[in-house]
Amino acid sequence: MDDKKAAILSEIPRLRRYARSLLRDRDSADDLVQDCLERALVRLDNWQTGESPRRWLFTIMHHLFIDQMRKVNRRGEAAMLPLEAGEAQAAPADQVETIASREIMDALQAISPDRRAALVMVAIEGFSYAEAANILGVPAGTLMSRIARGREELRGLLDDTSRRRTIRIVEK
Amino acid sequence: MTRRDFSERDIHMALDGELPGEERMAYDAWLEANPEMKAKSVRYIADRAAMRAALAGVMDEPVPARLRQVVLGEAPAKASVWRSRWWLSAAAAVMLAVGGLGGYVAGVDSIARGESDDQLAEQAIAAHVTYAAEKRHAVEVPASDKDHLQTWLSNRVGLKLVAPDLAAEGFELVGGRLLPAGGQGKAAMLLYEDAKGERISLYVTAESSETSKGTYAAEAGGPEAVYWLDKGYACAVVGSLPPERLSDVAKSAYGQLLAGISS
C-alpha cells in the first residue's frame, strides 16, 4: 500500500467523528465519509506533497456536506426553519447515549449547518482559526462570527431543553 | 504589559487557543473582574466538554469495512448504492422536523410555493431508499396477506387502494407499509420485486391539492420517481430502472391504481 493511501486510512476515524457531528445518524455520517473517500481517491493527483492529508480530506468532505445542504435548502427551504432540539432526529437505536450526550448532539443538529461546521472544526477537531477558515473557504472574520453565534445558539437550545426537562419533572 | 479592552470575542479566542500568550494574564484579570463574562466562559467550556464527550466514542469505533475498502481499492460493486444516501437522511430529518412543527407548514407553505410535487417525489424516494434496501423488514404486511393489506392501507390513507398487478412488467408484490406524508397525512407504500431482486415502490397518498406530473431524481444515479398529482390523490413510482422500463411500469401501475380509486 502506498504512503498516500496509508495516510488517508489513518484519517478515517477523525473524518467519521466530524461527519457524525454534522449528521448525527451513524449510517448517514459514514455515507458522507464514503463519498469523501471516493472523491479523494479520484483526485489523488491533486493532493500536493507537503499538504496535510487531514486538511485536504476535511476540505473535500466539507464541500460535499455544504453543497448538499444547499440543495436541500433550495428545494425545501425547510432547513431554514428553526428546528426544535430533540425533534431533529431520533438517536440511532444501536447507540447507547447518556442524556447529556443526546441533548448536546440534538442541539448541535439544530444550529445552522455553517455554524455547526465552524464550531466543530475548531472546538472538536482542533483546527486553528486560520486552518478552519481555509478549509471552509471563508474569511477569518466570518469564521469567528459563525463560531460565536454557534456557541450562543447552542447554549440557548440547551437552556431550553433543560427548562423543558424541569417542567416535565415538576409536572410529574 | 499591554492594556486593552477585552470583549466577548476574546472569550472565544481564549477558548480556541487564539489569544496571544502575552495577553493571557490581562485577559484572566478582566474575566475575574467581570462575573458575567466569566460565567459565559465557564459555560462555553462546559458545553465544549460535553460535545467532546458525546463524540469521543467515535474515535474508538472500528472503521467500517466499506470505508477501508474504498481506500484500498476493493470497493464492492454495491458502492454506488451507498453513494449519496447520507444527505437523503438529512433531508428526511428536515421533513420530519417540519412535520413536528405542525402540518400546516408542510401543507400550506409548500402549496403556496408550488413545490408539493417535489415534496411528494422526495418523500417517495426517501421511503424507497429506506425500506427497499431492507431484506427482512421491508414491509409491514406481506403480499401473502394481500386482502388485509389493501383494506388496512385503504382505511388509513383514505383512498380505495387496489395493489396493481405488475406481473406483465415482471414485478411481484412483496407487501406494503404505512408511512407519514407531511403533517397529518398518511401514505401507503407498496413494494414490488422482479426475478432479479430489483425493487420498485409505489407511494400513494390522499394529500394532494394540485395537479401535476413528471419525473424526479434527487441525485444523478439515484432512484427516480415518476409521479402524478391530482386533487385528492397523488402517486409516485420509484425505482432504479432504465427510464423507459420505469416509465412503462409506472404507467401500468398508475392506470390500475386510478381504476381502483375510482371504482
Side-chain angles (χ1 to χ4, degrees):
Chain A
M1 183 174 45
D2 64 45
D3 293 348
K4 278 186 170 180
K5 287 190 174 177
I8 293 174
L9 272 183
S10 66
E11 292 299 331
I12 292 180
R14 279 177 170 273
L15 290 170
R16 292 184 73 228
R17 178 172 64 182
Y18 180 52
R20 196 79 64 89
S21 71
L22 294 176
L23 291 169
R24 186 126 167 59
D25 173 71
R26 182 189 187 132
D27 288 338
S28 308
D30 282 342
D31 289 349
L32 172 58
V33 175
Q34 180 161 350
D35 275 7
C36 166
L37 294 172
E38 284 173 359
R39 187 172 284 197
L41 284 168
V42 171
R43 299 180 176 184
L44 217 46
D45 294 340
N46 294 6
W47 180 13
Q48 286 148 15
T49 34
E51 188 184 358
S52 138
R54 185 166 304 163
R55 212 166 64 192
W56 181 62
L57 290 165
F58 270 76
T59 307
I60 293 174
M61 192 150 88
H62 179 73
H63 283 155
L64 285 168
F65 173 68
I66 288 299
D67 283 355
Q68 290 300 353
M69 286 299 118
R70 292 213 177 108
K71 280 185 199 161
V72 171
N73 261 343
R74 259 204 305 276
R75 266 200 305 269
E77 287 184 46
M80 303 299 282
L81 293 165
L83 307 188
E84 285 283 319
E87 285 167 2
Q89 193 158 1
D94 63 343
Q95 211 172 310
V96 183
E97 289 181 306
T98 63
I99 292 174
S101 288
R102 193 166 61 232
E103 282 178 0
I104 193 123
M105 291 302 285
D106 283 345
L108 198 56
Q109 294 310 297
I111 70 176
S112 86
D114 282 334
R115 291 177 188 172
R116 193 187 318 154
L119 182 57
V120 168
M121 201 75 90
V122 167
I124 308 286
E125 299 304 331
F127 288 107
S128 70
Y129 283 179
E131 287 169 328
N134 187 281
I135 291 170
L136 303 184
V138 296
T142 306
L143 177 85
M144 285 188 67
S145 99
R146 283 183 188 173
I147 291 170
R149 284 161 198 266
R151 280 203 175 106
E152 269 300 323
E153 212 182 333
L154 198 64
R155 189 180 64 147
L157 288 164
L158 288 168
D159 285 348
D160 285 350
T161 309
S162 70
R163 225 183 343 263
R164 273 207 297 268
R165 197 173 55 228
T166 312
I167 292 167
R168 270 200 294 274
I169 291 167
V170 170
E171 281 173 347
K172 278 181 189 167
Chain B
M1 197 171 72
T2 49
R3 195 64 251 177
R4 71 170 176 97
D5 285 337
F6 290 99
S7 71
E8 220 178 306
R9 181 185 155 95
D10 295 291
I11 297 177
H12 297 285
M13 292 185 71
L15 204 57
D16 298 327
E18 299 280 338
L19 198 69
E22 67 269 21
E23 290 183 3
R24 187 78 210 194
M25 273 179 68
Y27 168 77
D28 286 341
W30 172 77
L31 214 52
E32 287 306 321
N34 292 278
E36 207 179 309
M37 290 295 140
K38 169 116 190 205
K40 237 175 206 180
S41 164
V42 169
R43 174 61 192 269
Y44 288 153
I45 291 170
D47 286 352
R48 180 175 67 181
M51 243 187 326
R52 285 180 176 171
L55 287 161
V58 181
M59 297 292 282
D60 298 328
E61 290 173 7
V63 171
R66 63 171 165 124
L67 298 182
R68 293 182 56 85
Q69 284 164 351
V70 171
V71 180
L72 298 173
E74 303 159 359
K78 293 280 281 179
S80 61
V81 177
W82 283 105
R83 190 195 299 271
S84 301
R85 272 179 62 181
W86 61 268
W87 71 268
L88 266 177
S89 107
V94 166
M95 289 193 287
L96 281 176
V98 171
L101 287 173
Y104 72 94
V105 178
V108 177
D109 263 10
S110 63
I111 290 160
R113 288 200 304 267
E115 280 179 355
S116 59
D117 48 349
D118 273 14
Q119 213 159 45
L120 171 90
E122 282 184 2
Q123 284 169 346
I125 290 173
H128 182 79
V129 166
T130 304
Y131 293 114
E134 291 288 333
K135 280 280 160 270
R136 290 179 55 198
H137 305 291
V139 297
E140 287 171 305
V141 178
S144 55
D145 213 354
K146 188 174 163 190
D147 288 343
H148 168 63
L149 175 70
Q150 292 181 155
T151 314
W152 171 58
L153 288 177
S154 298
N155 288 339
R156 290 294 178 275
V157 174
L159 290 172
K160 186 161 183 294
L161 279 182
V162 176
D165 179 354
L166 300 176
E169 284 75 26
F171 285 92
E172 293 294 337
L173 183 67
V174 177
R177 60 165 63 238
L178 186 66
L179 295 170
Q184 308 291 315
K186 292 173 184 154
M189 177 185 175
L190 296 172
L191 191 71
Y192 290 77
E193 192 174 60
D194 72 4
K196 288 189 216 143
E198 188 67 47
R199 287 175 164 183
I200 56 162
S201 55
L202 270 57
Y203 182 96
V204 188
T205 176
E207 298 297 304
S208 171
S209 53
E210 63 177 76
T211 309
S212 169
K213 66 175 182 175
T215 60
Y216 184 92
E219 178 79 1
E224 200 172 24
V226 181
Y227 63 83
W228 289 266
L229 276 80
D230 212 326
K231 292 190 171 51
Y233 60 91
C235 157
V237 180
V238 186
S240 299
L241 303 176
E244 267 178 41
R245 185 160 180 228
L246 184 65
S247 158
D248 286 348
V249 178
K251 275 179 200 153
S252 166
Y254 181 64
Q256 294 182 54
L257 275 173
L258 204 56
I261 289 169
S262 41
S263 69

